[in-house]
């Protein structure tokens, strides 16, 4: 794979900036803040979109915000690269929540974005997963090295180990073993156990137990059902025998019929003569062929309908006359006015209301009580006046003589005055309802006298009569309204009948005119002629058909030969008694029908039981299905558990098998890069590294080494992993990863990179001139790009 062109349309500090790369080593020089890391990150963003790893949702890393242009709404760029001589172009818009990536084959213009989107995480397309076959974590820990980022991530060990297991076991590095184990664990939990009643397995066991109990009940009913089946089978066997006899009789009749057909050839001449006679008679009736027989039925129906309508019209007129007579017999002119009756009813309601308010006391009793209260009020007023005058006089007198003790003593007179005024109020309050009762009694008296009556009882009797009279008048009015409605309905009916009569008469005249008839009677005679004409036509048609059938495509002359041949045929079946066979057949059919009726009675009993045992087959089938499902789930659970255990064992075995290979590769790289100071390395399953020096044959922890040596070892680890878990043709993209190397180490690593990666493109970013000088001194060809030009 070769990256050929970068187009930073609007990315970080760059705007409409283009950069072309070549095969082999590309050295990109620029001082600090010249944009080296920006271009380096641009390549990462194009292929992996600045997404945080290990999340199912689309969550962007800090880099996405970091390289978003401050002075432009645009945030986009393009990249072109070549794989196996096929040019591709990626166009990407980095806008958050509106990110858009399009991938094309440049030569054909074919859009292949959908292929990459199928492998990407979430909605954001990550072309690197499709083209490199690497997750972002493996990519940035192997072939893509950031500034001072030669150290590997903690989570890389799991993914590298997972990837090695995949390659060895599935031969497909895109299938995740860890994900497979997660899926198997989830599937195992979804199946559940018998004790987990709501799980798939628990529900299955519960349903299976219930179905078995239900089947046992149905099997008890099956015994009775089988007895009915046996009895029905006896009858059915008899029916089968009768059907065989019937078939034999029917076959005999069929054979007789076939033998008769041989004799029909002799009837051909007779048919020809009959056809000639029919033709002559048809010619004599030719004048009636245009008569439409169906029209006669219509005309006859219309004539009948006209008579019926005429009768209905007369009946309707009589009905109207009868209703009008009945209406005139109802006379309400002498009845009293309803308004007058309603006034009496209204006074009755008023009287009942007054009675409820006034109570049961008479007017005289009420007047007597009022007089007693008025007398008490008068006396209280006199006493109160006298006490008031006495109080005022004594108060002024004691004040005048300045005898305040006595003045204080006479204040008790005020209590007497208060009591007198309180009693006065009580009497006045008692008079109010008595006055109301007196008014009510006068209203009652007024209502009774209004109708010249002597008592309330007389008024209530008149009231009852009034109500009945009002109902009687209302009933008469209602009857009059109903009679008017009936008259209107009858008149409407009369109009419709008369309209229908006119229409029918017109239709009848049209039919008679079409058929050239003057009357129904003449039409009837013409119809008979036409029927005879049609009958003869039918006979002629049938005769011709029968003749054609008899001739069977031959001529009458040919039949003479056929006759000679027929004489030599033995017609034994003709001598059989066809009528007797037919009667025997009918008797057999009746016997079969009687047996069928008996069989149906048995079927009714069987069906009644079938309704109860109809579930047996489905229950058995369900039980078999459930047991098969249980067996399947049992096997599946065992298989899942076995698969999980086996995958875990394989994961351990793979590390054990591949650890020496990786150790050897990385050890060779370390030995070469460090000029033989360290002859081998040991890398555990978590990618922790120990080195063995050439002197002491002792494993050393990296903490005991210099920073430059540690960088060399981790760079070797990256290169070793890159060879093992990535394609050999992926570019190495390195950003300032040799800043801690001295000149000797830098010379060694550059020489190693070029020699070891002749098939890889190398893109090296640097802010120093050391790399250029060393490459020139070594005579290594490279593509030099000064980012500051």
């Amino acid at each position: 794979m070769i990256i050929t062109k970068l187009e930073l349309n609007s990315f970080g500090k760059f705007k409409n900036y283009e950069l072309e790369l070549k095969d082999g080593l590309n050295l990109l020089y620029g001082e600090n803040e010249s944009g080296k890391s920006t271009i380096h990150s641009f390549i990462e963003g194009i292929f992996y979109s600045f997404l945080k790893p290990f999340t199912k949702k689309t969550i962007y890393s800090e880099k996405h915000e970091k390289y978003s242009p401050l002075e432009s709404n645009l945030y986009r760029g393009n990249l072109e690269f070549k794989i196996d001589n096929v040019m591709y172009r990626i166009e990407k818009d980095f806008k958050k929540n509106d990110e858009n990536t399009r991938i094309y084959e440049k030569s054909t213009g074919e859009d292949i974005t959908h292929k990459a989107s199928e492998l990407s995480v979430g909605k954001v397309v990550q072309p690197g997963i499709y083209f490199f076959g690497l997750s972002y974590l493996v990519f940035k820990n192997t072939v893509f090295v950031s500034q001072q980022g030669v150290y590997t991530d903690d989570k890389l060990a799991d993914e590298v180990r997972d990837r090695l297991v995949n390659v060895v076991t599935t031969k497909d590095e895109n299938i995740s073993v860890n994900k497979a184990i997660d899926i198997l664990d989830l599937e195992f939990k979804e199946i559940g156990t018998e004790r987990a009643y709501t799980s798939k397995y628990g529900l299955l066991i519960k349903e299976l137990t219930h179905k078995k109990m239900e089947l046992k009940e149905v099997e008890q009913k099956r015994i009775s059902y089988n007895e009915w089946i046996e009895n029905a089978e006896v009858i059915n066997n008899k029916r089968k025998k009768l059907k065989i006899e019937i078939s034999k009789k029917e076959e005999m009749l069929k054979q007789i019929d076939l033998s008769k057909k041989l004799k029909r050839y002799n009837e051909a001449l007779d048919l020809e003569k009959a056809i000639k006679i029919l033709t002559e008679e048809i010619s004599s009736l030719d004048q009636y062929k245009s008569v439409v027989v169906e029209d006669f039925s219509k005309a006859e129906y219309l004539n009948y309908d006209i008579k019926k309508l005429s009768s209905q019209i007369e009946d309707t007129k009589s009905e109207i006359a009868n209703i009008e007579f009945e209406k005139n017999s109802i006379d309400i002119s002498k009845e009293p006015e309803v308004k007058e009756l309603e006034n009496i009813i209204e006074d009755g309601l008023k009287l009942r209301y007054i009675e409820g308010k006034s109570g049961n006391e008479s007017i005289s009793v009420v007047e007597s009580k009022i007089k007693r209260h008025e007398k008490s009020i008068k006396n209280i007023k006199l006493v109160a006046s006298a006490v008031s005058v006495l109080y005022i006089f004594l108060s002024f007198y004691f004040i005048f003589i300045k005898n305040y003790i006595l003045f204080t003593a006479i204040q008790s007179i005020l209590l007497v005055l208060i009591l007198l005024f309180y009693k006065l109020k009580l009497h006045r309050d008692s008079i109010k309802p008595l006055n109301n009762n007196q008014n009510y009694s006068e209203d009652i008296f007024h209502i009774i006298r209004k109708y010249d009556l002597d008592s309330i009882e007389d008024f209530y009797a008149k009231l009852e009569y009034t109500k009945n009279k009002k109902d009687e008048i209302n009933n008469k009015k209602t009857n009059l309204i109903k009679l008017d409605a009936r008259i209107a309905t009858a008149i409407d009916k009369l109009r419709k009948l008369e309209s229908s009569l006119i229409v029918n008469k017109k239709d009848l005249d049209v039919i008679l005119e079409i058929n050239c008839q003057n009357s129904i009677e003449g039409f009837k005679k013409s119809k008979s002629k036409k029927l005879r004409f049609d009958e003869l036509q039918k006979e002629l048609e049938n005769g011709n058909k029968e003749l054609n059938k008899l001739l069977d495509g031959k001529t009458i002359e040919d039949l003479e030969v056929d006759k000679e041949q027929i004489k030599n045929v033995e017609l034994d079946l003709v001598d059989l008694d066809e009528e007797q066979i037919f009667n025997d057949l009918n008797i057999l059919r009746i016997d079969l029908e009687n047996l069928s009726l008996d069989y149906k009675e048995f079927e009714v009993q069987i069906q009644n039981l079938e309704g109860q045992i109809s579930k047996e087959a489905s229950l058995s089938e369900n039980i078999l299905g459930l047991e098969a499902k249980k067996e399947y789930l049992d096997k599946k659970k065992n298989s899942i558990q076995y698969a999980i255990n086996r995958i875990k064992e394989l994961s351990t075995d793979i590390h054990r098998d591949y650890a020496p290979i990786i150790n050897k590769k990385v050890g060779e790289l370390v030995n070469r890069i460090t000029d033989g100071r360290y002859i081998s390395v040991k890398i555990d399953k978590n990618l922790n590294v120990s080195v063995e020096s050439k002197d002491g044959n002792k494993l050393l922890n990296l903490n005991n080494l210099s920073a430059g040596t540690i960088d060399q070892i981790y760079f070797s680890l990256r290169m070793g992993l890159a060879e093992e878990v990535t394609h050999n043709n992926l570019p190495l993209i390195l950003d300032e990863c040799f800043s801690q190397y001295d000149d000797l180490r830098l010379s060694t690593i550059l020489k190693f990179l070029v020699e070891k990666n002749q098939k890889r493109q190398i893109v090296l970013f640097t802010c120093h001139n050391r790399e250029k000088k060393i490459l020139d001194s070594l005579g290594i060809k490279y593509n030099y790009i000064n980012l500051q030009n």
Side-chain angles (χ1 to χ4, degrees):
M1 173 181 177
I2 306 298
I3 299 174
T4 59
K5 188 176 184 180
L6 306 177
E7 298 175 4
L8 286 74
N9 303 130
S10 183
F11 189 89
K13 62 183 284 185
F14 292 101
K15 185 175 182 181
N16 296 326
Y17 181 79
E18 292 187 5
L19 186 65
E20 293 186 0
L21 302 177
K22 296 182 180 179
D23 192 4
L25 175 60
N26 293 266
L27 182 63
L28 281 72
Y29 167 77
E31 295 181 358
N32 291 332
E33 305 299 327
S34 62
K36 299 187 301 301
S37 296
T38 301
I39 296 173
H40 186 267
S41 296
F42 174 76
I43 296 172
E44 174 190 344
I46 285 288
F47 285 111
Y48 288 97
S49 300
F50 300 131
L51 297 178
K52 286 188 176 182
F54 314 113
T55 59
K56 293 183 179 179
K57 295 183 180 179
T58 302
I59 302 176
Y60 289 94
S61 65
E62 294 77 5
K63 283 187 178 181
H64 186 278
E65 185 67 25
K66 178 179 178 180
Y67 295 110
S68 178
L70 297 177
E71 299 179 356
S72 174
N73 292 326
L74 300 178
Y75 188 10
R76 63 176 58 167
N78 311 317
L79 184 146
E80 295 182 3
F81 58 97
K82 180 169 63 175
I83 298 177
D84 298 332
N85 295 322
V86 178
M87 290 295 298
Y88 297 93
R89 178 179 175 84
I90 301 175
E91 298 177 355
K92 182 178 284 288
D93 190 332
F94 291 91
K95 281 186 180 179
K96 196 171 185 178
N97 300 325
D98 193 24
E99 186 164 334
N100 183 35
T101 304
R102 309 305 300 175
I103 307 171
Y104 303 94
E105 280 192 20
K106 195 173 179 182
S107 59
T108 63
E110 180 186 357
D111 189 334
I112 62 170
T113 310
H114 64 281
K115 296 180 179 179
S117 63
E118 291 174 355
L119 300 176
S120 300
V121 178
K123 297 180 179 179
V124 178
V125 179
Q126 295 174 289
I129 297 175
Y130 173 69
F131 287 106
F132 303 155
L134 302 178
S135 69
Y136 171 65
L137 181 64
V138 176
F139 172 74
K140 82 182 188 74
N141 281 278
T142 52
V143 296
F144 186 83
V145 185
S146 302
Q147 187 175 5
Q148 295 180 350
V150 294
Y151 298 94
T152 58
D153 290 351
D154 294 337
K155 294 184 179 180
L156 178 64
D158 292 335
E159 189 152 346
V160 168
R161 187 167 58 254
D162 185 31
R163 190 172 181 83
L164 289 173
V165 174
N166 296 339
V167 171
V168 174
T169 58
T170 67
K171 306 304 178 185
D172 186 352
E173 58 189 25
N174 294 317
I175 299 175
S176 173
V177 170
N178 285 337
K179 290 181 181 178
I181 291 176
D182 292 340
I183 291 170
L184 289 171
D185 280 332
L186 180 61
E187 191 169 355
F188 190 89
K189 290 176 182 178
E190 285 181 353
I191 294 173
T193 62
E194 185 173 350
R195 293 183 178 180
Y197 301 111
T198 58
S199 69
K200 186 187 296 185
Y201 193 82
L203 292 173
L204 176 65
I205 295 299
K206 183 179 179 181
E207 185 180 2
L208 181 59
T209 303
H210 175 73
K211 294 292 183 185
K212 285 182 176 180
M213 292 176 62
E214 193 174 352
L215 178 61
K216 189 173 182 180
E217 293 177 0
V218 172
E219 286 174 346
Q220 295 297 323
K221 296 175 182 177
R222 165 65 68 178
I223 297 172
S224 177
Y225 173 78
N226 289 337
E227 293 177 356
W228 283 101
I229 289 290
E230 290 176 3
N231 294 331
E233 188 64 25
V234 172
I235 293 178
N236 197 37
N237 289 333
K238 293 181 180 179
R239 291 171 65 215
K240 289 178 180 178
K241 291 179 181 179
L242 283 176
K243 287 179 180 178
I244 293 172
E245 292 295 322
I246 290 171
S247 297
K248 290 179 179 179
K249 297 293 183 184
E250 288 175 342
E251 183 63 26
M252 291 176 69
L253 290 174
K254 182 179 179 181
Q255 292 299 323
I256 291 172
D257 184 60
L258 289 173
S259 65
K260 287 181 178 180
K261 287 181 180 179
L262 297 175
K263 299 175 65 177
R264 289 178 185 172
Y265 286 103
N266 297 323
E267 300 171 2
L269 289 174
D270 295 335
L271 274 173
E272 188 178 44
K273 293 177 182 178
I275 287 169
K276 186 176 180 181
I277 295 170
L278 286 172
T279 303
E280 292 174 354
E281 188 175 356
I282 287 170
S283 297
S284 65
L285 298 172
D286 189 63
Q287 59 179 314
Y288 299 103
K289 68 179 179 181
S290 61
V291 175
V292 181
V293 175
E294 291 77 8
D295 283 353
F296 177 75
S297 299
K298 294 177 183 178
E300 196 173 33
Y301 174 78
L302 286 170
N303 188 53
Y304 168 78
D305 208 24
I306 288 168
K307 292 179 180 179
K308 182 179 177 181
L309 288 170
S310 300
S311 175
Q312 288 177 340
I313 288 170
E314 293 303 319
D315 293 342
T316 304
K317 288 179 179 179
S318 298
E319 181 184 357
I320 293 171
N322 292 334
I323 296 171
E324 287 179 343
F325 176 79
E326 184 179 353
K327 178 182 175 184
N328 293 332
S329 65
I330 299 173
D331 185 12
I332 60 172
S333 59
K334 297 179 181 180
E335 299 292 347
E337 291 293 332
V338 174
K339 182 65 177 176
E340 181 181 334
L341 298 175
E342 288 177 347
N343 289 337
I344 296 172
I345 293 171
E346 185 178 350
D347 285 340
L349 294 173
K350 185 176 180 182
L351 183 60
R352 290 189 185 280
Y353 174 77
I354 293 170
E355 277 190 305
K357 289 286 187 178
S358 63
N360 298 321
E361 293 182 333
S362 63
I363 296 174
S364 59
V365 172
V366 172
E367 288 178 347
S368 175
K369 287 182 177 181
I370 291 172
K371 287 178 181 180
R372 285 201 301 273
H373 283 294
E374 288 177 345
K375 184 177 179 181
S376 297
I377 290 170
K378 184 177 180 182
N379 292 335
I380 291 170
K381 284 181 178 180
L382 289 173
V383 173
S385 299
V387 172
S388 298
V389 171
L390 178 62
Y391 171 74
I392 293 169
F393 174 77
L394 290 175
S395 297
F396 279 108
Y397 175 73
F398 289 130
I399 291 171
F400 179 75
I401 65 174
K402 297 182 179 180
N403 190 340
Y404 296 109
I405 295 173
L406 292 174
F407 174 76
T408 303
I410 66 170
Q411 296 307 311
S412 59
I413 296 174
L414 288 174
L415 296 174
V416 175
L417 284 173
I418 291 171
L419 291 172
L420 289 172
F421 283 121
Y422 176 72
K423 290 190 71 176
L424 181 64
K425 182 179 181 305
L426 291 176
H427 284 292
R428 284 176 175 171
D429 290 342
S430 300
I431 286 176
K432 289 180 181 178
L434 292 173
N435 285 332
N436 289 336
N437 287 346
Q438 187 178 17
N439 292 333
Y440 291 149
S441 299
E442 288 175 356
D443 289 340
I444 292 171
F445 180 75
H446 176 72
I447 290 171
I448 294 171
R449 295 303 302 161
K450 178 180 177 180
Y451 297 103
D452 296 327
L453 301 172
D454 297 328
S455 65
I456 292 176
E457 288 76 14
D458 293 341
F459 177 80
Y460 281 142
K462 182 176 181 65
L463 178 64
E464 187 65 26
Y465 171 79
T466 301
K467 288 181 179 179
N468 294 333
K469 194 64 178 177
K470 182 184 175 184
D471 291 341
E472 181 182 343
I473 293 171
N474 286 337
N475 289 336
K476 287 183 178 181
K477 288 182 177 180
T478 300
N479 289 336
L480 287 173
I481 292 170
K482 290 180 179 179
L483 291 172
D484 286 338
R486 287 176 59 191
I487 290 172
T489 301
I491 290 172
D492 183 60
K493 178 181 177 182
L494 179 62
R495 289 172 182 167
K496 291 179 180 178
L497 290 171
E498 289 174 342
S499 176
S500 297
L501 180 63
I502 292 170
V503 171
N504 286 351
K505 285 182 176 180
K506 288 181 179 179
D507 291 344
L508 179 59
D509 291 340
V510 169
I511 290 173
L512 291 175
E513 183 178 354
I514 290 172
N515 289 277
C516 303
Q517 302 296 321
N518 297 322
S519 64
I520 289 291
E521 290 74 15
F523 199 177
K524 186 176 182 180
K525 293 178 181 178
S526 297
K527 182 200 78 168
S528 299
K529 298 289 187 179
K530 176 62 163 68
L531 288 174
R532 178 58 182 165
F533 178 84
D534 291 341
E535 183 182 353
L536 293 172
Q537 285 278 28
K538 191 70 174 177
E539 290 181 11
L540 178 61
E541 182 182 353
N542 291 335
N544 285 324
K545 286 181 180 179
E546 188 65 23
L547 180 60
N548 290 332
K549 185 177 179 181
L550 290 173
L551 292 175
D552 195 20
K554 299 178 181 179
T555 63
I556 295 295
E557 291 74 16
D558 294 334
L559 288 180
E560 293 181 1
V561 177
D562 291 336
K563 287 178 184 178
E564 293 299 325
Q565 293 174 351
I566 291 170
K567 288 179 182 178
N568 298 325
V569 175
E570 295 184 2
L571 302 177
D572 296 337
L573 290 173
V574 178
D575 298 330
L576 295 176
D577 190 345
E578 183 180 4
E579 184 177 356
Q580 182 62 43
I581 295 172
F582 185 78
N583 291 335
D584 293 342
L585 180 61
N586 285 337
I587 292 171
L588 291 172
R589 285 173 175 168
I590 292 170
D591 292 342
L592 178 61
E593 185 177 356
N594 291 333
L595 282 175
S596 296
L597 291 174
D598 293 339
Y599 186 74
K600 284 182 179 180
E601 291 182 6
F602 279 86
E603 281 186 328
V604 170
Q605 297 295 333
I606 291 169
Q607 286 173 359
N608 290 335
L609 284 171
E610 280 179 347
Q612 302 175 36
I613 65 170
S614 58
K615 296 181 180 179
E616 183 178 13
S618 61
L619 281 172
S620 298
E621 186 176 347
N622 287 341
I623 289 170
L624 289 174
L626 291 171
E627 287 177 340
K629 192 173 183 181
K630 177 180 177 295
E631 183 180 356
Y632 167 75
L633 291 179
D634 287 336
K635 289 181 179 178
K636 189 173 183 181
K637 286 169 65 179
N638 294 334
S639 299
I640 291 170
Q641 190 60 57
Y642 175 79
I644 292 172
N645 295 337
R646 186 58 182 151
I647 289 172
K648 289 179 179 178
E649 291 172 3
L650 282 173
S651 178
T652 304
D653 293 343
I654 291 302
H655 173 262
R656 185 179 62 247
D657 295 339
Y658 263 74
I661 298 174
I662 295 177
N663 288 342
K664 183 179 179 181
K665 285 189 176 182
V666 176
E668 290 175 352
L669 294 175
V670 169
N671 186 29
R672 181 171 178 181
I673 291 174
T674 62
D675 287 333
R677 281 178 293 165
Y678 303 102
I679 59 174
S680 67
V681 298
K682 303 296 180 184
I683 304 170
D684 65 15
K685 63 181 181 180
N686 295 318
L687 296 185
N688 295 316
V689 182
S690 301
V691 296
E692 183 181 358
S693 65
K694 68 177 180 179
D695 301 331
N697 293 326
K698 181 180 179 182
L699 289 177
L700 299 175
N701 191 285
L702 292 187
N703 295 331
N704 300 322
L705 305 178
S706 66
T709 302
I710 293 173
D711 275 2
Q712 285 180 308
I713 291 171
Y714 271 110
F715 186 78
S716 299
L717 174 61
R718 278 177 171 269
M719 294 302 99
L721 292 176
E723 286 187 25
E724 195 62 34
V725 301
T726 70
H727 301 296
N728 290 329
N729 61 351
L730 292 184
L732 290 178
I733 305 168
L734 313 175
D735 182 19
E736 291 284 3
C737 60
F738 305 133
S739 59
Q740 296 194 66
Y741 285 33
D742 55 30
D743 290 347
L744 180 59
R745 283 173 174 161
L746 181 58
S747 177
T748 301
I749 195 66
L750 289 176
K751 186 177 180 181
F752 162 76
L753 280 175
V754 174
E755 292 177 356
K756 188 69 175 176
N757 297 283
Q758 293 183 2
K759 293 183 179 180
R760 290 185 192 265
Q761 181 187 38
I762 302 173
V763 181
L764 176 60
F765 294 85
T766 181
C767 64
H768 302 288
N769 288 316
R770 294 190 307 156
E771 286 85 356
K772 185 175 187 306
K773 292 178 180 179
I774 292 171
L775 290 171
D776 289 339
S777 66
L778 293 173
I780 296 174
K781 294 182 179 181
Y782 62 96
N783 177 36
Y784 182 73
I785 300 172
N786 191 335
L787 299 177
Q788 296 173 204
N789 292 337

